[in-house]
Every structure is written in C-alpha cells, then in structure tokens.
Amino acid sequence: MYRFLLSRQWVILTLIALLLIPTMIRLGIWQKHRYEMRTARNDLVSAALHAKPVPVEQLTSPGHAVTSAEKYRTVTATGTFDTAREEVVRRRTNSDDEVGFHVLTPFVLTDGKVVLVNRGWIPANGAQTTFPKIPAPPAGKVTIKGRLKADETTAASGIKEIKGLPDRQVMLINSEEQARRLGATVLGGYIEQTAPEAKGGSPEQISDPGSEDAPLNYAYMIQWWLFAAGVPVGWWVLVRRERRDRQEAAAKEQAEEAEPAAV
C-alpha cells in the first residue's frame, strides 16, 4: 500500500523533510537566544536609566572601562567646560537621520580631573573639512547631569577610525586617546549630557536609548517551531493524498478491465 515511499521522488522528499525539522528547531532556538539577550539588554538599560543619579567619580576613574551594568547610569559632575580644547565627532546623525557632528568637550572637575562630555548634535552645514561653529556651554562652574557611556570602539560601533582627519575632529570617543591629547587625567568613558538643556536647543540633546524589539524575536521563535511541527503533518497529508490517488487510479483501471468488450 505504501510501496511508493521507496520511489526516488518520495525518498528525496522524505529526506528534505527530515532535514527541515532540525533546521527549523535550531532557528527557533537561535531566535530564543536573541529574545533573551535583547530582553536582558532592555532590562539593564531600563534599570540604569531609572537608577538614582550619582557623582560620576563613583562609577568611573582614570583608565576604567565602563561596564554594561554602569552604562547609561545617570551621573552628575561639577566643574567647568574647557571649550578651548573642544573637538567634534564626525558623521553622527540626529533623530531625523541628518548627518552632522557630536560636540565633545573636556569638563574639568573640581579636583582637576577631566571627564569627556558629549554635549549633543550640531549640523554639518556644508563641508566637514573645517571646524564648525559651536554654541558655547554655560560659563564658569556648573553642575551637569547625563548618561555614562563606555569608550567607543570600531568593533562595538562599526565606525572605522580614519587617519589624517582635519584638526580637532575624531571618529570615535576614546578617553585614553583624549588623555594623551589633553595631557590630563581623564576618567574612563564619557558623559552624554542631558541637563542643563542648551540654550536655543543647540547642541541638540541626544535622545534616550531605545528598547530593542525583543517580542519580535519571540514571535519568530514560535513561528519556526510551528513550521517544524508542520513539516511531518504536511508530509503525512501528502502521503495520504498520494495513497488515495493511487487507490482511485487502480480502482478505475480494474473497472475498465471488468467492462465487457464491445461486439
């Protein structure tokens, strides 16, 4: 009754089905890991953003690598902006995907140490070969607040370092490189400033980090596992249909053979 399963066509079809099932299961497991990773990242970021603000020197120090648990923590710092040694970070976009610069200003703390402050985004306004005009920060001693960020790397950001850039322009924010440039004691990482807000809205404040779409990965996980469960069901439906078609064809053939020959 099921001898047709030994035909070349059905052997190939069965092998494909047997390969699809574990492949789809593995894809579902991969999506499960993506869901767990994104959920953990969202929980970590949310906890950091809602944590009580602390002085920046409680979380970082010279040469310190900001950890994932410290990243996005709200920190405060008191000191003065050193605009004379300000730099800009190239090829950064705002919330409307317009290309411009991030303003990177050394901030001298009351104890003489320096923390780098990303004051926000400004438009390029033409060629990026000249240093742009930057709105001045508050003068004198001031207390700022912002999110603590880790030093940027090509591996993490996908942004490549470029040599021979115009004066006072960089591609990545790196506290160790800035310490060598400034000849100062620089805290690890940098602050993404959120307060006080800039007068006139420039530099444009950087928005909060968005949450990753973890539920989408969960939906993909369920989808792949449903596909895996559907493969044997589909295979059996095809087998039953093939068996029925063959039975009907055999019955028709027998009926034709049983009819009396025409005289």
Side-chain angles (χ1 to χ4, degrees):
M1 189 179 300
Y2 293 100
R3 290 177 65 183
F4 63 87
L5 291 174
L6 299 177
S7 67
R8 183 171 180 270
Q9 175 186 353
W10 273 95
V11 168
I12 293 174
L13 182 62
T14 302
L15 288 174
I16 291 173
L18 291 174
L19 288 172
L20 282 175
I21 293 171
T23 299
M24 291 177 175
I25 291 174
R26 288 186 65 85
L27 286 170
I29 293 172
W30 177 68
Q31 290 292 346
K32 178 176 180 290
H33 291 161
R34 292 280 294 169
Y35 165 74
E36 291 170 347
M37 182 181 68
R38 286 187 162 187
T39 299
R41 184 263 181 190
N42 290 342
D43 292 343
L44 198 63
V45 171
S46 178
L49 292 175
H50 292 91
K52 182 180 178 180
V54 297
V56 65
E57 290 184 276
Q58 284 191 19
L59 295 181
T60 185
S61 58
H64 175 73
V66 175
T67 66
S68 57
E70 295 163 344
K71 190 177 179 182
Y72 297 119
R73 283 287 304 274
T74 301
V75 294
T76 60
T78 300
T80 56
F81 284 105
D82 184 1
T83 55
R85 298 193 287 179
E86 198 165 51
E87 287 191 327
V88 292
V89 190
R90 291 167 59 91
R91 299 181 187 175
R92 300 302 169 105
T93 57
N94 65 356
S95 56
D96 295 322
D97 288 330
E98 298 173 312
V99 179
F101 301 100
H102 279 177
V103 179
L104 186 64
T105 310
F107 190 76
V108 184
L109 303 172
T110 52
D111 62 1
K113 294 186 182 72
V114 173
V115 62
L116 303 173
V117 177
N118 183 347
R119 295 203 287 124
W121 181 90
I122 59 172
N125 289 334
Q128 296 192 25
T129 55
T130 57
F131 194 75
K133 185 177 180 181
I134 302 174
K141 189 174 181 180
V142 63
T143 297
I144 64 168
K145 184 168 68 173
R147 298 178 287 265
L148 183 63
K149 298 290 291 291
D151 286 338
E152 296 179 337
T153 64
T154 297
S157 66
I159 301 172
K160 295 182 179 179
E161 272 285 23
I162 298 177
K163 303 296 182 183
L165 292 176
D167 188 38
R168 299 174 68 186
Q169 295 190 21
V170 295
M171 297 299 299
L172 297 167
I173 303 176
N174 185 286
S175 60
E176 291 186 2
E177 291 182 3
Q178 291 294 323
R180 289 191 290 270
R181 179 182 75 91
L182 299 169
T185 302
V186 179
L187 304 185
Y190 65 97
I191 296 176
E192 202 169 69
Q193 185 178 348
T194 58
E197 294 185 10
K199 293 181 179 179
S202 183
E204 182 181 317
Q205 186 173 320
I206 299 171
S207 59
D208 289 344
S211 60
E212 296 187 7
D213 194 359
L216 184 62
N217 294 103
Y218 190 86
Y220 287 153
M221 175 191 73
I222 298 298
Q223 183 182 61
W224 280 118
W225 288 347
L226 287 175
F227 286 162
V231 168
V233 174
W235 180 86
W236 180 243
V237 169
L238 291 175
V239 168
R240 293 294 300 272
R241 182 182 297 173
E242 181 76 7
R243 176 174 173 268
R244 185 187 66 237
D245 291 345
R246 286 174 178 268
Q247 286 177 330
E248 290 176 353
K252 183 178 180 181
E253 184 178 344
Q254 288 176 356
E256 288 175 353
E257 291 177 351
E259 290 180 358
V263 178

